[in-house]
Amino acid sequence: MESMARQRATVENDQPDDPPGTMLPELEDRDWLHHAHEFAHTSFWAVARRLPRLVREAVGLAWSTNRRDTIASIGLNIAAGVMTTFGLLATTSVLRELFAAGPTPDRVRSALPALIVAAAAVSARGGLTIAAGWAQARLTP
């Protein structure tokens, strides 16, 4: 432990002393960083105003790249969102049945149909998400 403390002390003392009044040169930002300050101080409403234009540009670029994959990507993502909704609704049905009054085996049996729907919705959502990702991956310009 003592040797480590001595090493640290010698490293700190080995630093060269700058003459008084010497300043380091300013670093210049990289070209890709020239909007970083503006983006860091952008408000939520400014982003919300820009969002429709950015979405329009992205969809336009994807449309010009491959129309079929653009339609597939949008449609499959919407379908995956619908399956997510079905899964959440089925989950609430499962919980409602499980928290109901009565013997536990009866509650589990009554929750089983909703549990099957929830599992099917989650599986369908997974498949749709995979297919949408495949379509999106083919949209490289």
Side-chain angles (χ1 to χ4, degrees):
M1 293 290 261
E2 265 182 58
S3 63
M4 289 177 69
R6 262 188 263 128
Q7 286 176 352
R8 238 185 262 143
T10 56
V11 167
E12 289 174 5
N13 292 337
D14 287 344
Q15 293 176 354
D17 293 328
D18 289 335
T22 305
M23 295 186 64
L24 296 175
E26 288 294 321
L27 297 176
E28 293 184 24
D29 290 339
R30 296 282 184 196
D31 292 335
W32 50 267
L33 194 60
H34 65 280
H35 289 296
H37 183 72
E38 178 186 345
F39 287 147
H41 298 289
T42 303
S43 69
F44 171 78
W45 296 112
V47 172
R49 281 191 305 270
R50 290 182 192 164
L51 190 61
R53 181 178 52 87
L54 294 174
V55 169
R56 206 173 319 122
E57 286 179 20
V59 171
L61 181 62
W63 187 262
S64 66
T65 301
N66 189 337
R67 292 179 180 181
R68 187 179 61 183
D69 284 335
T70 301
I71 291 170
S73 176
I74 292 171
L76 290 168
N77 277 310
I78 289 172
V82 169
M83 287 299 126
T84 300
T85 303
F86 285 147
L88 289 173
L89 291 173
T91 302
T92 59
S93 297
V94 168
L95 292 175
R96 185 174 34 251
E97 296 296 331
L98 288 177
F99 291 141
T104 303
D106 292 340
R107 290 185 292 173
V108 171
R109 272 193 289 283
S110 64
L112 197 57
L115 188 60
I116 291 170
V117 170
V122 168
S123 298
R125 180 185 147 264
L128 290 167
T129 303
I130 289 169
W134 177 70
Q136 288 171 2
R138 295 183 346 149
L139 284 174
T140 56

